[in-house]
Amino acid sequence: MIRTFHLADLFTIANAFCGVTAIFEAMTFLRTHDSQNLYLAALLIPVALVFDALDGRIARWRHAASPMGRELDSLADVVSFGVAPAAIAVAAGVNTRLDQVILLFFAGCGVSRLARYNITAEGLSAGKDKVEYFEGIPIPTSIVPLGLLMLAFYGGNLFRVNLLGVEWHLIALLFLVSGALMVSKTLRIPKP
């Protein structure tokens, strides 16, 4: 199988490696409580974004796009922009039961958004080489709630609240909104 990989696929794998390493660093933070591990975990997500942007450009430049590459890209994106940000949030302290439900919703929306894109991309491209717009926001935009989470973590306040006897963190709402925007059918974002 590796022999059939294109150059773009190697960048996609690098994207996935960044996401997996970010999860490892978040887990290391839970063991060591060294905030450098958590900051490194968060920093790996923008690095994954760079690899994600490059893989598509390289595939188009080399005219080497393939169904395998598209599926590989979606799987890497789920890890780097869905699972890893949720794991970083839990490690940072957004970890009450309600927080976890919200983060599960966020990750589930990311998976659903990518699955929908994969089955509708051909129809949305209208016979052209690429899709003209995204339905819902792309999953790499999860870098925004993650960045805001890390700012709150750096500031030492994740905005823990107790509402009707249920403890949770207001910062989790960013992930809730992000997830909801990913699966929106009416929101159309022009694709660069």
Side-chain angles (χ1 to χ4, degrees):
M1 182 179 85
I2 292 174
R3 290 180 187 160
T4 64
F5 278 1
H6 299 284
L7 178 62
D9 297 335
L10 298 177
F11 282 82
T12 303
I13 294 291
N15 168 0
F17 282 176
C18 286
V20 172
T21 305
I23 295 167
F24 291 168
E25 288 297 322
M27 291 173 15
T28 301
F29 168 72
L30 289 174
R31 184 175 44 81
T32 65
H33 301 290
D34 182 353
S35 59
Q36 296 302 316
N37 295 111
L38 197 63
Y39 294 129
L40 177 57
L43 182 63
L44 284 165
I45 304 308
V47 174
L49 182 62
V50 170
F51 285 122
D52 186 46
L54 288 174
D55 70 2
R57 293 194 196 299
I58 290 169
R60 284 188 294 279
W61 169 63
R62 294 184 53 117
H63 304 288
S66 68
M68 170 77 165
R70 184 176 67 201
E71 296 302 320
L72 195 60
D73 184 64
S74 290
L75 293 170
D77 287 355
V78 165
V79 172
S80 295
F81 307 117
V83 178
I88 293 167
V90 169
V94 182
N95 56 13
T96 69
R97 290 289 178 216
L98 182 55
D99 293 334
Q100 291 174 10
V101 168
I102 291 170
L103 292 170
L104 283 170
F105 171 79
F106 163 78
C109 288
V111 170
S112 299
R113 190 247 178 269
L114 288 165
R116 179 179 68 190
Y117 177 79
N118 284 350
I119 62 172
T120 62
E122 192 173 316
L124 291 175
S125 66
K128 298 177 183 165
D129 284 345
K130 70 179 209 175
V131 176
E132 293 183 13
Y133 62 87
F134 293 110
E135 285 183 342
I137 62 172
I139 192 171
T141 59
S142 66
I143 201 167
V144 174
L146 177 63
L148 294 171
L149 164 76
M150 293 312 295
L151 281 174
F153 178 81
Y154 179 77
N157 186 359
L158 298 175
F159 306 100
R160 189 176 187 105
V161 294
N162 187 324
L163 184 63
L164 303 173
V166 177
E167 289 193 17
W168 59 292
H169 296 86
L170 286 175
I171 201 89
L173 288 177
L174 296 171
F175 290 91
L176 181 75
V177 170
S178 178
L181 290 174
M182 279 189 247
V183 295
S184 171
K185 180 108 172 117
T186 57
L187 182 62
R188 293 187 173 182
I189 310 291
K191 187 173 179 186

